[in-house]
Structures are given as C-alpha cells and as structure tokens.
Amino acid sequence: MTRHELDAAGITDPQLRAAYTRCRLLNARHGRTYFLATRLLPADRRPAVHALYGFARWADDIVDDTGAGTTPDERAAALTRLDGLLRRALTGRRPTAEPVVLALADTADRYAIEPAHFTDFMASMRADLTVTDYATYADLRAYMHGSAAVIGLQMLPVLGTVTARALAAPHAAALGVAFQLTNFLRDVGEDLDRGRVYLPADLLAAHGVHRDLLLWSRHTGRHDGRVTAALRAAEDLTRGVYREAEPGLAMLDPVARPCIRTAYLLYRNILDAVAEGGYAVVHRRAVVSRRRRAAVAAGGLARVLSVRLRARRAPTYAPVPRGGALDAQEPG
C-alpha cells in the first residue's frame, strides 16, 4: 500500500520515498484513530498527511520523553536541533539525515503550506518544556493555536475545499482544537504523571478542583464528585468546539470529506467513552472499542464509495499542489 500511495502522489525520488514511508510508520504506530481515518483519503494525498502527522508526532515525543536518563536540558536541545532542521528545510536548504523533516519540507513545498504554521507549532512545543498548567481557558487556547489549530490549517491545502480557503480555515482550526481537547480529557491521568495539567485552572476551580486534588485522586484511585463535575464541564466545553468545527466538513473537497468526517466521529466517540466510563480518566484512559471504531470506519468507507460513484459522472474539486522543488532535487 505504501508504494501505491507514493506512486499516486508522484513521489519518485528514492530518498523521499523512504522519508514518507518513515512518516507513514509513525502515523500507523502512534495515531491509530487518525491513521484509520487517513486511509479513507485518495491515495495521492495520504503521504502528505503522513508527513504532517509524523513531524508533529516526532516533536511531541521529544517534549514528552521524561523517562530515566533524559534531562530537561537534553529535551530542549533536541527540540532546538529539530527547529533548526525545519527552518533550513523550509527555506530550501534540503536536509539529508532526518527523513521526517525531509518529508515535511517536501509536503510544505508541494502544497504551499504557510511556514508560519510550523513556526507557531514549534513555539507551542517549546512551551511544553516549561509550562505545566494554564490559568484560564484563554491561555490554553493560545497554546492550542500552535499545538492543534495550525494542524488543521496545515491540512487544508492537502484536503482541498469547495469554498474559499479562508472561509474553511476557522472551522479547520476549531477541529484541531477539538481533537486536542479530547486528548487532554482522555489523558488526564497520564498527563498528571508527566507533571502537567492541561485542563484550565479556572474551569477546575469553578468546581472546587485543583492540582493537589487531582493528584490525590490519581494516587489513591479514589473518586471525588468535584473532579467528576469538572471533567463533565470539560466534556461540555469540548463538544462546543466540535460544533464550531462541524460546518467546515461540507466545505472540504468531496473526496476528502469521508476521511475528516470519520476522524470527527471517532474522536467524538472518545468523549462518549469518557462519559460512559463515569469520567474516570484520572485513573485510566478511556478507550473506544474496536467494534465501535470499525463501525465508524465502515460508514466512512461507504461514503468514499458513494463519492467515487458520483465522481464518474461529475468532476471533483482537488487541490493543486505546486511542483515540488524539493522533489526535483537529487538526493543529498
């Protein structure tokens, strides 16, 4: 399947093919929900999505690597190195050693993705090295602009739209934020173990919750009604952001809609699993059953087939990538 995707995207350079393959493996290994949805895209657009996800995953892994033997200074140095590689690649100085950066730079060039989106993303990754909580939801949204909203904005040129891209952009950004808020709610306990609280302090305080209470609940395994109420409020907040994002689904290229709608439904199912599990995410991660995930994916596949049948009778709207200057170069 990897070869088919690369051939469909017109990626012929052997080094680039290896780089995109590496990104696809990262997506398959770490982004189960996202990878499942990505498979519903036309084959020629999947490598670009793998590259965008692979780079984001790599940077996130650097800041989350709090295991034995890894110091904050080492994580900061690794992120600085990655930032330098990214900047050089985006300005046309092709890297030769880091496949994930190579694939990302090629994707950015092919689809004319704004470099500022990557700059903002790296700024939020640097924040994760030192910032362990957010006082207000406004503060958290500022962080999520770089960590999540720009991911949606990076994706838009790859997905294509049937409206002016500027009309779809706020909805794409909101969907990125909704996905991340969902992850924050699902991963409350794991984030506590890393010393982080991503739920905003003002939302928690409105229900009498603070970091020490969350830690007590995590360490003792005991429940507290105040924590449950705060987590329910976080769920309500997140569902509101999904409502902000939803109108953008119809603005996408018809062949891309099944993928993004499937991702939309899969992530909302995580919220359902949180609620059905009694908001016990301080103690364990909420998991969507394989059966439910498969049912959503099957619905997405049915939509893909419907779009393809219609496409035989009418033209579709597709993004027009720029000729990839990086792709045209010889391997370094």
Side-chain angles (χ1 to χ4, degrees):
M1 184 60 72
T2 302
R3 180 178 299 177
H4 169 62
E5 293 173 357
L6 296 172
D7 290 345
I11 300 168
T12 58
D13 180 301
Q15 189 179 25
L16 276 175
R17 288 173 74 90
Y20 277 104
T21 299
R22 170 63 178 156
C23 291
R24 187 183 190 278
L25 289 172
L26 285 171
N27 195 356
R29 184 180 306 153
H30 298 289
R32 291 185 304 168
T33 298
Y34 205 66
F35 182 73
L36 181 62
T38 300
R39 295 180 68 180
L40 298 174
L41 279 175
D44 64 319
R45 303 190 205 179
R46 294 176 208 158
V49 177
H50 294 321
L52 294 172
Y53 180 89
F55 181 82
R57 178 76 260 175
W58 189 17
D60 197 51
D61 284 347
I62 289 173
V63 298
D64 282 347
D65 184 11
T66 56
T70 304
T71 67
D73 286 345
E74 288 170 339
R75 294 195 296 276
L79 200 62
T80 297
R81 176 177 177 274
L82 177 59
D83 197 15
L85 289 173
L86 174 65
R87 290 175 185 273
R88 288 194 295 274
L90 292 178
T91 55
R93 288 173 286 171
R94 184 179 182 181
T96 58
E98 300 294 353
V100 176
V101 176
L102 181 61
L104 179 81
D106 184 67
T107 289
D109 184 68
R110 284 170 179 266
Y111 289 94
I113 300 173
E114 288 290 336
H117 296 331
F118 302 106
T119 301
D120 292 346
F121 172 76
M122 292 303 294
S124 286
M125 293 302 97
R126 282 192 293 274
D128 271 334
L129 294 172
T130 56
V131 180
T132 60
D133 51 41
Y134 292 88
T136 68
Y137 180 56
D139 294 333
L140 182 64
R141 282 296 292 245
Y143 162 78
M144 288 191 295
H145 167 75
S147 64
V150 297
I151 304 298
L153 298 175
Q154 291 168 20
M155 286 281 291
L156 265 189
V158 178
L159 299 173
T161 61
V162 296
T163 65
R165 193 179 299 167
L167 293 177
H171 304 292
L175 189 59
V177 170
F179 287 170
Q180 187 162 63
L181 284 171
T182 301
N183 288 340
F184 287 162
L185 186 56
R186 179 195 64 190
D187 298 338
V188 167
E190 294 176 13
D191 287 332
L192 280 169
D193 293 343
R194 298 188 182 104
R196 298 180 189 148
V197 178
Y198 283 109
L199 301 182
D202 58 353
L203 181 149
L204 295 174
H207 300 276
V209 178
H210 45 76
R211 178 189 284 260
D212 288 344
L213 181 59
L214 292 174
L215 288 170
W216 169 84
S217 182
R218 175 70 170 170
H219 294 153
T220 65
R222 296 175 65 180
H223 296 266
D224 187 289
R226 292 169 294 176
V227 173
T228 300
L231 296 175
R232 186 180 291 111
E235 178 205 0
D236 291 342
L237 174 67
T238 304
R239 291 190 187 277
V241 182
Y242 276 104
R243 289 191 291 272
E244 293 177 34
E246 187 171 16
L249 299 176
M251 299 179 184
L252 297 175
D253 180 340
V255 300
R257 288 176 201 163
C259 165
I260 304 306
R261 182 170 292 280
T262 296
Y264 176 93
L265 294 173
L266 286 170
Y267 272 89
R268 282 206 322 185
N269 275 345
I270 296 174
L271 289 183
D272 294 339
V274 169
E276 291 163 6
Y279 303 93
V281 288
V282 173
H283 310 119
R284 60 183 179 275
R285 172 187 276 213
V287 177
V288 179
S289 71
R290 289 185 178 181
R291 178 178 296 181
R292 184 183 294 184
R293 292 172 69 242
V296 173
L301 180 59
R303 286 189 289 272
V304 168
L305 295 175
S306 176
V307 168
R308 288 178 181 174
L309 286 173
R310 290 197 301 271
R312 293 177 183 176
R313 300 186 295 271
T316 59
Y317 302 85
V320 182
R322 300 192 314 188
L326 291 175
D327 193 36
Q329 298 179 34
E330 293 299 320

